[in-house]
Amino acid sequence: MTLIEKIQNLFPRPADIPAALLSDIPCIQKGYLVNGEIRVWDGPRQEVLSPVWVAGDASPTPFYIGEYPLLTEAQAFQALDAAVDAYDHGRGVWPTLSVVERIEHMEQFVFRMIEAKERVVRFLMWEVGKSLQDSQKEFDRTIQYINDTLAALKDLDRISSRFTIEEGIIGQIRRAPLGVVLCMGPFNYPLNETFTTLIPALVMGNSVILKPPKHGALLYAPLMAAFRDVFPKGVINIIFGEGRKVIPPLMASGKINVLGLIGTSKTANALKKLHPYPNRLRCVLGLEAKNPAIVLESADLDLAIRECVLGCLSFNGQRCTALKIIFVAAGIADAFLERLAVAVNALPFGMPWQEGVFVTPVAEKGKTDYLRELMSDAVTKGARVVNPAGGTVCGSFFFPAILYPVHPDMRVYHEEQFGPVIPVLPFDRIDTPIAYMINSSYGQQVSIFGSDPDEMARLIDPLVNQVCRVNINSQCQRGPDTFPFTGRKDSAEGTLSVSDALRVFSIRTLVAAKQTELNKQIITRIVRDHKSKFLATDFIL
Ligand code: G3H
């Protein structure tokens, strides 16, 4: 079979799908979590079609894997009221619990979450088409993230468990919650990225309304009971539905204190504008990016190609950190392209459960049409598809396409493709990629490939002021999760990392007193008799 024939025959017949992957499929999810109850929704539901299609006698068709509730504004407001009541202006059970107690709740949650692993991973694979192996990795990374967050919170609390005396004033400074947090994550990491805002928001004492992404909602079904059982009522509320219907009313209520959104700047800007009290709203945003790779003449080509393939095509390029445009020194462009095409053509592709699979069907409806449009636009304006099978479509599958030479008149030069299209352009002067970065609306990361320390150093210094991470001879990526993850311009607001996230979902607040005898006696009594959870010197061991 030729490569193109293999692509055209990649979808399985239903009978060929391993039976173990089909338990709980279809999943008719009717529950949503509000005020400590899993309520049953009998109204309309969203049909969930997997990016995995199935072959039949005619063309392949999307595989039906379940349904989830399409709630309305009324249920969104119930969730909001529950979160507002649970916070109770900072007087609720959860925001006034000690850090140790909140950590204990979270540890119980981790235990329950691990029990649900197999189901969560399976839904993740079916809902977004991520390989089974990467779906498992996403789950494990999330557990690690929670455990690291708890360790970081203990450290933070230890530092705060002492008094500071300055200019005759005794102070104790701690971090306190902000209020009601609205959390929304993206489809590409529907578990991990959602939890990177949810977990720190919760553990710092806020109450949360969580709306899972459109693709990646069913995987919350196996976790709902754990959320209900572990946290006090109203502290975590999970609603489902169309974002554009249920989210704007929440923002317009003025009762959301923090918007934690990993999504697009368009959505973030529209939501921020709805809030009637902008100064009361904090935003923690992870948004788009168009990270470039710059391949210098001195680059080790094997290494550059390996990393560019990973950077451009891991999870089919559906990562905000993906490499989305490659600038290659003109002198090595032909060799680079030839080897890149060989590497791309050799990538294992197929169904997410197949051992070693790398390229899988894309998650969003209509995505293959969009990617084809980007390709045709580039081809009409003078680019060629370097790998002949590039851009071959079968249902929801799009074989990665390398486009060359790309230039600024083409859409793919500017638009974040978020899919398996690799635009490449040659440069003679290093000013070309630098100008691209200066003029880009985004500023997340860059990868530079080369071996001359002088040349690399000359690039690093200007580039760190354009983006927030310069990767040397390696693809762009978020991890390790202890490193700061952020961006300039339209790429982010606030910084996420295990420890930074604890800060962005909290505010420093302090108790201060002039160092008089009376005040010293009061503070000593409060601390000695453990009368306050805030004014305390208990040290978490
Ligand atoms: O979509 C953006 C993710 O944060 C990327 O994370 O670099 O670990 O794949 P990653």
Side-chain angles (χ1 to χ4, degrees):
M1 251 200 264
T2 64
L3 183 54
I4 292 185
E5 282 165 347
K6 271 197 209 154
I7 296 167
Q8 280 157 352
N9 287 289
L10 96 162
F11 286 114
R13 290 187 169 264
D16 299 332
I17 299 173
L21 297 174
L22 290 172
S23 67
D24 305 334
I25 299 286
C27 164
I28 311 300
Q29 213 295 96
K30 292 186 182 176
Y32 62 104
L33 180 63
V34 166
N35 205 27
E37 290 166 22
I38 298 180
R39 299 187 182 165
V40 176
W41 172 249
D42 283 323
R45 289 191 296 267
Q46 173 67 50
E47 184 181 59
V48 184
L49 300 173
S50 174
V52 171
W53 288 26
V54 281
D57 294 330
S59 317
T61 48
F63 186 49
Y64 165 74
I65 54 169
E67 295 173 18
Y68 62 78
L70 280 175
L71 301 179
T72 69
E73 192 176 313
Q75 293 74 42
F77 278 132
Q78 288 164 10
L80 179 63
D81 290 343
V84 169
D85 289 350
Y87 191 66
D88 193 15
H89 304 281
R91 298 172 307 170
V93 174
W94 186 246
T96 54
L97 226 48
S98 68
V99 166
V100 175
E101 289 165 311
R102 286 206 294 264
I103 288 175
E104 280 166 6
H105 282 263
M106 205 53 90
E107 285 169 344
Q108 281 173 41
F109 178 76
V110 171
F111 186 73
R112 293 280 301 270
M113 186 170 161
I114 291 172
E115 286 180 341
K117 173 172 175 176
E118 203 242 314
R119 288 181 70 208
V120 173
V121 167
R122 208 154 10 90
F123 284 132
L124 179 50
M125 181 201 81
W126 278 117
E127 287 189 273
V128 305
K130 186 171 284 188
S131 75
L132 193 54
Q133 201 187 345
D134 283 351
S135 300
Q136 272 155 354
K137 272 196 211 151
E138 179 168 342
F139 187 95
D140 295 341
R141 176 179 177 182
T142 308
I143 296 289
Q144 180 70 41
Y145 191 92
I146 304 177
N147 288 333
D148 290 350
T149 299
L150 299 186
L153 180 56
K154 286 180 191 169
D155 273 347
L156 193 63
D157 195 74
R158 288 177 190 127
I159 296 163
S160 319
S161 292
R162 60 190 292 272
F163 290 99
T164 306
I165 302 178
E166 286 286 343
E167 298 175 21
I169 298 182
I170 311 168
Q172 187 168 29
I173 308 163
R174 288 184 185 276
R175 300 203 73 93
L178 291 161
V180 174
V181 178
L182 175 59
C183 275
M184 286 182 288
F187 81 80
N188 60 339
Y189 284 87
L191 180 74
N192 183 263
E193 290 229 286
T194 312
F195 272 49
T196 60
T197 58
L198 170 72
I199 298 301
L202 277 178
V203 85
M204 291 313 289
N206 302 284
S207 56
V208 174
I209 302 165
L210 166 68
K211 196 199 83 64
K214 183 172 170 196
H215 309 286
L218 294 179
L219 66 90
Y220 282 86
L223 298 174
M224 208 118 65
F227 278 120
R228 176 199 58 196
D229 298 344
V230 168
F231 296 101
K233 68 175 186 165
V235 166
I236 165 81
N237 304 278
I238 305 180
I239 56 170
F240 299 88
E242 279 181 78
R244 66 192 167 84
K245 289 201 178 142
V246 292
I247 299 302
L250 296 180
M251 291 300 286
S253 74
K255 294 179 184 171
I256 299 294
N257 302 104
V258 188
L259 172 64
L261 168 79
I262 315 291
T264 64
S265 53
K266 193 173 157 218
T267 307
N269 293 342
L271 290 178
K272 278 167 127 180
K273 279 192 199 125
L274 290 174
H275 201 287
Y277 314 113
N279 296 332
R280 292 191 207 172
L281 178 71
R282 299 285 171 100
C283 291
V284 182
L285 309 173
L287 306 170
E288 312 93 289
K290 181 108 178 152
N291 295 338
I294 304 175
V295 184
L296 302 165
E297 194 110 28
S298 63
D300 170 340
L301 270 195
D302 285 337
L303 184 152
I305 283 164
R306 205 167 51 239
E307 290 292 323
C308 284
V309 168
L310 283 176
C312 294
L313 298 177
S314 295
F315 193 34
N316 315 312
Q318 300 166 122
R319 296 159 60 225
C320 61
T321 47
L323 289 174
K324 298 195 179 102
I325 190 159
I326 299 179
F327 291 84
V328 58
I332 55 164
D334 288 345
F336 178 84
L337 285 169
E338 194 182 314
R339 289 158 76 168
L340 182 64
V342 171
V344 168
N345 283 350
L347 290 173
F349 63 92
M351 294 302 102
W353 55 83
Q354 288 167 348
E355 189 72 28
V357 70
F358 189 77
V359 188
T360 55
V362 290
E364 294 167 289
K365 192 170 170 232
K367 189 62 185 256
T368 52
D369 293 342
Y370 168 70
L371 297 173
R372 291 283 315 179
E373 271 176 34
L374 287 185
M375 259 180 72
S376 324
D377 173 74
V379 169
T380 316
K381 292 172 182 160
R384 65 188 165 92
V385 182
V386 177
N387 54 329
T392 305
V393 170
C394 176
S396 54
F397 184 84
F398 185 99
F399 193 78
I402 304 165
L403 301 175
Y404 181 87
V406 161
H407 60 72
D409 292 344
M410 298 172 185
R411 286 173 57 189
V412 75
Y413 181 91
H414 306 277
E415 292 178 32
E416 185 195 27
Q417 66 270 39
F418 218 76
V421 167
I422 310 178
V424 185
L425 55 158
F427 68 89
D428 289 311
R429 288 164 42 83
I430 194 65
D431 294 356
T432 306
I434 292 183
Y436 171 83
M437 292 172 71
I438 291 172
N439 295 320
S440 168
S441 307
Y442 309 117
Q444 192 196 62
Q445 301 189 17
V446 62
S447 290
I448 50 176
F449 294 92
S451 57
D452 174 358
D454 292 333
E455 193 182 18
M456 299 294 263
R458 276 199 304 276
L459 268 180
I460 289 169
D461 290 357
L463 292 184
V464 287
N465 296 341
Q466 291 303 320
V467 292
C468 288
R469 176 163 164 166
V470 175
N471 299 279
I472 296 178
N473 287 323
S474 53
Q475 63 155 325
C476 298
Q477 62 182 51
R478 175 179 179 144
D481 287 326
T482 44
F483 280 14
F485 178 54
T486 186
R488 298 168 187 269
K489 303 187 219 171
D490 286 339
S491 284
E493 189 172 327
T495 300
L496 288 171
S497 77
V498 165
S499 54
D500 287 304
L502 294 173
R503 291 183 169 78
V504 292
F505 287 104
S506 61
I507 187 164
R508 292 210 302 170
T509 178
L510 64 141
V511 175
K514 284 194 179 146
Q515 208 177 5
T516 63
E517 273 319 302
L518 175 63
N519 287 345
K520 282 200 255 181
Q521 274 175 30
I522 293 172
I523 292 172
T524 304
R525 281 291 298 278
I526 292 175
V527 170
R528 195 186 61 204
D529 298 345
H530 296 96
K531 289 177 189 291
S532 163
K533 288 181 181 165
F534 188 100
L535 199 62
T537 52
D538 293 348
F539 191 86
I540 305 178
L541 292 173

